Amino acid sequence: MTLLAIEQMVAGYGEIDIVTGIDIAVHEKEIVTVAGTNGAGKSTLAKAIMGLVPRCRGVLRFCGEDLLAMRPEDRIKVGVAYVPQVENVFPSLTIVENLQVVVGVQNHAARIAEMLDLFPALAARRRVRAEALSGGERQQLAFARALMTQPKMMLLDEPTAALSPNLVAQVFDTIRKLPAIGVAALVIEQRARQSLEISDRGYVLDSGKAVMSGAARDLLADARMADLYLGGA
């Protein structure tokens, strides 16, 4: 089943188009990586999907519904969860309080208990303010917040940015487990090789266009992909 369908998306700010005609699909319980160099349009793509870019046109559907006609909060209601690169938790609130303030959750207590079971490191520090967490713990909390609403797909914008190598591995391991709990993932990621290694399919953006796409294993084996976007073979 196709969850997210993007066709000929154009998006940007003012009179400048950053995304210039992209076709992307994400299927149920699938991990898809969007890679590319800095300035390729990756984060603009993520913001356009969530309705956070002033101009966006083309086809943007989720489970057959037109996202372009929806406000950002309504896109969350239909099953899209978004973890932005920065400011994805409330620093002054504890772990539990960060989960309690998520709207649109029917039984907060039960869902919080599920999230703490899913992320044991958070359970051990549930009364600690987010500002005192490590970078890896903060990212786990951001994931838990996004999962509170029981989404069908998580949109992750540079989830490993500014993390140490050990924490990067932990984040990718968490993403790898999402399909097992019924959640697809669209991962916007600078670390293309590591992200593709846990993905089913991938897209490579350059100057706002998808210049390469295919099965993740095929992209990893492509010599041109390795030279231009993976730092060599």
Side-chain angles (χ1 to χ4, degrees):
M1 176 183 172
T2 299
L3 295 178
L4 181 70
I6 300 174
E7 298 174 13
Q8 290 301 295
M9 175 190 280
V10 176
Y13 305 86
E15 297 181 357
I16 300 174
D17 291 332
I18 307 299
V19 171
T20 57
I22 289 179
D23 294 352
I24 286 177
V26 178
H27 306 301
E28 192 175 29
K29 299 180 183 179
E30 181 180 50
I31 300 175
V32 175
T33 286
V34 175
T37 57
N38 286 331
K42 302 188 303 298
S43 288
T44 299
L45 170 65
K47 290 180 174 65
I49 292 171
M50 294 309 301
L52 303 175
V53 174
R55 289 193 302 100
C56 183
R57 68 178 187 273
V59 174
L60 178 58
R61 295 188 177 278
F62 189 79
C63 293
E65 297 195 51
D66 182 10
L67 292 187
L68 290 180
M70 297 183 188
R71 298 172 300 177
E73 56 268 33
D74 293 328
R75 301 182 193 206
I76 295 172
K77 290 177 182 178
V78 298
V80 183
Y82 178 44
V83 180
Q85 182 177 343
V86 295
E87 297 181 353
N88 50 26
V89 300
F90 294 106
S92 63
L93 301 183
T94 67
I95 286 173
V96 169
E97 288 169 345
N98 263 278
L99 301 179
Q100 287 174 333
V101 298
V102 177
V103 299
V105 180
Q106 290 186 346
N107 188 332
H108 267 91
R111 190 60 178 161
I112 289 171
E114 291 174 5
M115 291 300 98
L116 295 180
D117 285 341
L118 189 61
F119 298 98
L122 299 183
R125 309 194 71 191
R126 67 182 70 194
R127 302 302 176 190
V128 175
R129 289 185 178 182
E131 62 191 1
L133 301 178
S134 69
E137 290 168 337
R138 280 198 184 200
Q139 199 64 300
Q140 287 189 39
L141 178 55
F143 276 44
R145 279 177 50 81
L147 288 169
M148 281 289 292
T149 58
Q150 298 182 293
K152 299 181 180 71
M153 186 191 82
M154 286 182 67
L155 173 58
L156 308 172
D157 188 5
E158 301 282 3
T160 68
L163 295 181
S164 68
N166 286 341
L167 295 178
V168 166
Q170 289 178 22
V171 169
F172 282 129
D173 187 54
T174 299
I175 297 170
R176 190 200 302 267
K177 296 174 182 176
L178 290 175
I181 60 173
V183 182
L186 180 59
V187 188
I188 313 293
E189 182 55 59
Q190 187 80 10
R191 290 179 168 89
R193 186 185 297 276
Q194 288 171 277
S195 192
L196 285 169
E197 285 173 350
I198 66 162
S199 297
D200 299 290
R201 294 185 302 107
Y203 297 83
V204 180
L205 303 192
D206 198 342
S207 300
K209 294 183 179 293
V211 294
M212 300 182 73
S213 64
R217 62 179 178 274
D218 294 338
L219 291 176
L220 286 167
D222 188 294
R224 178 170 172 262
M225 172 75 177
D227 287 341
L228 293 178
Y229 304 104
L230 299 181

